[in-house]
Amino acid sequence: MQKPSINHSFQYPGSIGEMPSGPCADAGVLVEANAGWRVFRPVLDAAKCVKCLKCWLICPDGAIDRSGKDYAIDYAFCKGCGICAYECPTKSIRMEKEGDDVE
Ligand code: SF4
Ligand code: SF4
């Protein structure tokens, strides 16, 4: 899934008359980060990752960041569902409780 971005210029409709008749924003555009309620966070070990793309394909929030040399998790968008850790064939992703020390 394509990594999401935040549209800071988005304006909520001020009244019912200003409501759009179609979608109010382009698909994939968010108005705020969505990770405030995450209980567990995935931690990716780049040394074990073979870049098979599986986590990137299945993450429901598009939170796998492939823009750098190694894959990383964008915690601004990750909701901590754990699907990536469950599906990773090399067990490169582990789930840690939020608040615990992470590397
Ligand atoms: S599923 Fe695992 S091995 Fe595959 S790209 Fe993601 S972290 Fe790397
Ligand atoms: S824990 Fe869920 S939301 Fe977060 S990166 Fe993994 S699959 Fe995506």
Side-chain angles (χ1 to χ4, degrees), residues 9-62:
S9 62
F10 178 81
Q11 297 285 321
Y12 283 101
S15 67
I16 193 74
E18 296 173 9
M19 291 292 284
S21 57
C24 61
D26 292 338
V29 173
L30 304 177
V31 294
E32 57 188 65
N34 63 354
W37 43 271
R38 188 177 55 232
V39 178
F40 287 90
R41 68 163 54 198
V43 178
L44 195 157
D45 183 347
K48 289 162 79 177
C49 173
V50 295
K51 299 184 178 176
C52 70
L53 283 179
K54 196 164 187 183
C55 57
W56 180 77
L57 287 168
I58 62 171
C59 173
D61 289 308

Side-chain angles (χ1 to χ4, degrees), residues 38 40-42 55 58-64 72-75 77-85 93 95:
R38 188 177 55 232
F40 287 90
R41 68 163 54 198
C55 57
I58 62 171
C59 173
D61 289 308
I64 305 296
I73 293 161
D74 188 336
Y75 292 115
F77 299 110
C78 167
K79 64 186 174 191
C81 66
I83 294 173
C84 56
I93 302 174
M95 299 302 290

